[in-house]
Amino acid sequence: MKSFNEKFAEVVFLIIAFSALSVLALITVFIFIEGLPIIARVGIFNFVFGMTWSPSHGEFGIFPMVIGSVAVTLGAAILGVPVALCCSIFLAEFAPAKISNLIRPAIQLLAGIPSVVYGFWGLVFIVPIIRNYLGGPGLSILAGSVILAIMILPTVISISEVSLLSLPRLYKEGAFALGATHWQTIRSVLMPAAKSGIVAGIILGIGRAIGETMAVIMVLGNAVAIPLSILDPARTLTTSIGIEMGYASGEHREALFATGIVLLIIIMILNSIAQYAARKR
Amino acid sequence: MMDDLKLKSNPGVNLKTEAVNLYYGRFQALRGITISIPHRSITAIIGPSGCGKSTLLRIFNRMNDLIPGVRVEGKVELDGASIYEKNTDVVALRKKVGMVFQKPNPFPMSVLDNIAFGPRQHGVKRAAELEGIVEQSLRQVGLWEEVKDILMQPALSLSAGQQQLLCIARVLAVGPEVILMDEPCSALDPDATLRIEDLMRDLAQDYTIVIVTHNMEQAARISDMSAFIMMEEDKAGVLVEYSPTAQLFSNPKDKRTDDYITGRFG
Ligand SMILES: Nc1ncnc2c1ncn2[C@@H]1O[C@H](COP(=O)(O)OP(=O)(O)OP(=O)(O)O)[C@@H](O)[C@H]1O
Ligand SMILES: [Mg+2]
């Protein structure tokens, strides 16, 4: 028999756990209630694939923002993932304990920097470099991608490193004993064996990039047009909400909530893929 | 102690150590190990837990190199050539001296990819050639008939005994001279153990096998030579006796060997 105290503690914890869950449910329900009517009126296809976003004229097409989000996120993945993988391989396989104990907290620190600081740094450092050396206004997809690439590093690095470190020692020993070099072992045994964890890390990083708002608002230029090059300004789903929510009302406000629905669904899909990948062994 | 047995630069000697000391950092794990392992035979290394059997085995393919702070003193020779030189090609050494581990450790890939792993890393690219090697190695360990239809399935779906045979085949695929086995049967059931023992007797026609085992019946059953290692006061392992197996088990020269094989300690 459990004592009364134990029972009591159990119930309290259950209630707290459920309240966390209910907050999630509350937010989701709220966003859907606010956003669904406009989607119903405009039509899901016209909403997501509509080319014109002009709330004052009653036109609510978010396709330019969808393109903006996809482009910036893809850019961040292309720039960030290879760096992150090299970093995690270095930490897991090559770095002596002294060095990895220095680098690991430093990378975790990256995760702790407020995103507005990233944005500010991007604005005064990355944007001018792009403007001066590559042309265009500088406020651009490229600038957003660079900032986001840095911001996803901690997620991708730590998850990849953990999946490499958690592999059985015997894989490595087996490969070495067959005469494989360290690099051959990493490439042909360790990376494939840790693939599911690494993929999960990358997808979580991408989810983080898609959801980021503040840092990209400051460096992206926020033009509502389909960008034609990575040096063009763009606007993402998140920045669209962030910029306009302050003054929007009526249908306009609903359309921003509907944008939130689209974002929520994208992130939910990404998270489920990440969980699926991580579980597959 | 065993100078009478030392096969001095005999062409029949495959592996040889002379006065080898091994240190893990400041801790000395082996002291003064001098042993000559003959060609195409089975040599068993026995001794109590922690006496340095695995450590000695891993000297022969330089697997100890993976552990930071390991230092080896003395001479270790394969076919008369020292393998602890600055310019020793460790990859070439490990191709000649393969290793099978205590726990079967197939890679998380298909049966075929496991066997083809070594040859691929060493530059064999042609599919036909690889397939030939795979079939030949699996036949050598007597696993071909069982797995020829499931070559593309994950090796981890095989039984433990089959996995260990696969690991032996994976070593054979690289074309070794010597096969080191560190308690290869300790994770297997009696049937699988018998199967591996039979295989070892077969393989000893063509390969030099060095096996570490906890199981003294196993050592007595299958080996030609037996080496008994024991810890001294400071925990460093020394080679107490090295003799033909029949002699070591029936008529040990050293009192400590006698105590160990009759079960008085260890
Ligand atoms: N990586 C290591 N670092 C430090 N000491 C080690 C290391 N590996 C082994 N040792 C020590 O060296 C000694 C010999 O170990 P070894 O594994 O060779 O023994 P063993 O005879 O194979 O034992 P077992 O029968 O348990 O497998 C032990 O005292 C062990 O604690
Ligand atoms: Mg051992």
Side-chain angles (χ1 to χ4, degrees), chain B residues 36-65:
Chain B
S36 293
I37 292 169
H39 246 300
R40 299 187 178 175
S41 63
I42 302 181
T43 300
I45 301 176
I46 58 172
S49 221
C51 67
K53 303 181 294 295
S54 301
T55 302
L56 175 58
L57 200 65
R58 294 158 71 96
I59 278 182
F60 296 124
N61 64 346
R62 289 190 53 170
M63 280 303 272
N64 291 319
D65 291 14

Side-chain angles (χ1 to χ4, degrees), chain A residues 91-133:
Chain A
L91 285 175
E93 286 298 314
F94 293 102
K98 257 192 203 146
I99 292 181
S100 59
N101 286 340
L102 208 73
I103 294 182
R104 211 171 285 127
I107 288 170
Q108 290 318 314
L109 209 61
L110 273 184
I113 297 177
S115 56
V116 67
V117 174
Y118 277 106
F120 186 61
W121 178 74
L123 189 63
V124 300
F125 186 72
I126 304 286
V127 168
I129 288 181
I130 293 176
R131 185 167 51 226
N132 295 337
Y133 293 96

Side-chain angles (χ1 to χ4, degrees), chain B residues 134-145 148 169 199:
Chain B
V134 169
E135 175 170 352
Q136 144 106 21
S137 317
L138 285 169
R139 277 192 193 284
Q140 269 182 286
V141 301
L143 203 56
W144 175 251
E145 291 303 324
K148 66 177 184 213
L199 173 64

Side-chain angles (χ1 to χ4, degrees), chain B residues 19 40 42 48 65 73 78 94 115 119 121 132 164 170 174 194 196-197 213-214 243 259 265-266:
Chain B
R40 299 187 178 175
I42 302 181
D65 291 14
E73 292 171 354
L78 172 69
R94 292 190 185 138
I115 311 284
Q121 302 309 324
Q164 195 62 302
R170 188 172 67 180
V174 181
L194 270 184
I196 298 224
E197 287 181 8
T213 177
H214 254 120
S243 321
D259 288 350
F265 77 92

Side-chain angles (χ1 to χ4, degrees), chain A residues 169, chain B residues 22-25 27-30 45-58 64 67-68 70 102 182-183 212-214 229 231 235-237:
Chain A
R169 238 182 94 80
Chain B
L22 184 141
Y23 303 84
Y24 289 115
F27 169 67
Q28 180 165 17
L30 292 175
I45 301 176
I46 58 172
S49 221
C51 67
K53 303 181 294 295
S54 301
T55 302
L56 175 58
L57 200 65
R58 294 158 71 96
N64 291 319
I67 301 162
V70 166
Q102 182 164 358
D182 194 347
E183 305 191 38
V212 167
T213 177
H214 254 120
I229 297 183
M231 286 178 277
K235 297 250 155 89

Side-chain angles (χ1 to χ4, degrees), chain A residues 169-181 184-185 187-189 192-193, chain B residues 58 63 66 91 94 99 101 103 105-109 117 121-122 156 170-171 174:
Chain A
R169 238 182 94 80
L170 273 171
Y171 288 169
K172 188 171 169 182
E173 294 197 334
F176 271 88
L178 288 165
T181 64
Q184 287 173 330
T185 304
R187 204 185 54 226
S188 324
V189 178
Chain B
R58 294 158 71 96
M63 280 303 272
L66 300 193
V91 167
R94 292 190 185 138
M99 183 166 224
F101 296 80
K103 203 164 159 280
N105 63 340
F107 303 130
M109 39 177 101
F117 179 85
Q121 302 309 324
H122 302 128
L156 290 166
R170 188 172 67 180
V171 168
V174 181

Side-chain angles (χ1 to χ4, degrees), chain B residues 30-250:
Chain B
L30 292 175
R31 176 181 305 124
I33 304 283
T34 298
I35 191 170
S36 293
I37 292 169
H39 246 300
R40 299 187 178 175
S41 63
I42 302 181
T43 300
I45 301 176
I46 58 172
S49 221
C51 67
K53 303 181 294 295
S54 301
T55 302
L56 175 58
L57 200 65
R58 294 158 71 96
I59 278 182
F60 296 124
N61 64 346
R62 289 190 53 170
M63 280 303 272
N64 291 319
D65 291 14
L66 300 193
I67 301 162
V70 166
R71 206 171 83 243
V72 179
E73 292 171 354
K75 241 206 249 159
V76 186
E77 288 180 357
L78 172 69
D79 298 328
S82 168
I83 60 168
Y84 275 85
E85 296 300 314
K86 277 210 180 65
N87 58 3
T88 299
D89 180 351
V90 181
V91 167
L93 170 70
R94 292 190 185 138
K95 278 167 76 175
K96 278 196 207 159
V97 184
M99 183 166 224
V100 175
F101 296 80
Q102 182 164 358
K103 203 164 159 280
N105 63 340
F107 303 130
M109 39 177 101
S110 72
V111 172
L112 185 133
D113 286 338
N114 263 282
I115 311 284
F117 179 85
R120 275 198 184 121
Q121 302 309 324
H122 302 128
V124 180
K125 293 221 172 62
R126 280 185 32 241
E129 191 178 346
L130 281 171
E131 277 163 27
I133 295 175
V134 169
E135 175 170 352
Q136 144 106 21
S137 317
L138 285 169
R139 277 192 193 284
Q140 269 182 286
V141 301
L143 203 56
W144 175 251
E145 291 303 324
E146 282 156 74
V147 302
K148 66 177 184 213
D149 297 323
I150 52 166
L151 288 176
M152 290 307 166
Q153 305 222 349
L156 290 166
S157 65
L158 301 178
S159 74
Q162 290 174 319
Q163 288 187 18
Q164 195 62 302
L165 288 168
L166 178 94
C167 291
I168 298 174
R170 188 172 67 180
V171 168
L172 297 180
V174 181
E177 244 176 70
V178 180
I179 305 172
L180 309 173
M181 299 188 170
D182 194 347
E183 305 191 38
C185 303
S186 65
L188 306 181
D189 61 52
D191 285 342
T193 300
L194 270 184
R195 206 171 157 189
I196 298 224
E197 287 181 8
D198 285 345
L199 173 64
M200 287 172 63
R201 291 271 23 136
D202 284 348
L203 291 177
Q205 312 278 325
D206 302 304
Y207 302 91
T208 301
I209 296 178
V210 187
I211 177 177
V212 167
T213 177
H214 254 120
N215 179 335
M216 271 182 287
E217 285 89 57
Q218 183 172 56
R221 261 197 310 268
I222 60 171
S223 68
D224 303 298
M225 297 290 290
S226 290
F228 172 56
I229 297 183
M230 212 182 94
M231 286 178 277
E232 293 200 317
E233 303 287 273
D234 61 348
K235 297 250 155 89
V238 293
L239 181 58
V240 173
E241 184 162 351
Y242 178 48
S243 321
T245 299
Q247 183 185 326
L248 187 129
F249 280 96
S250 63

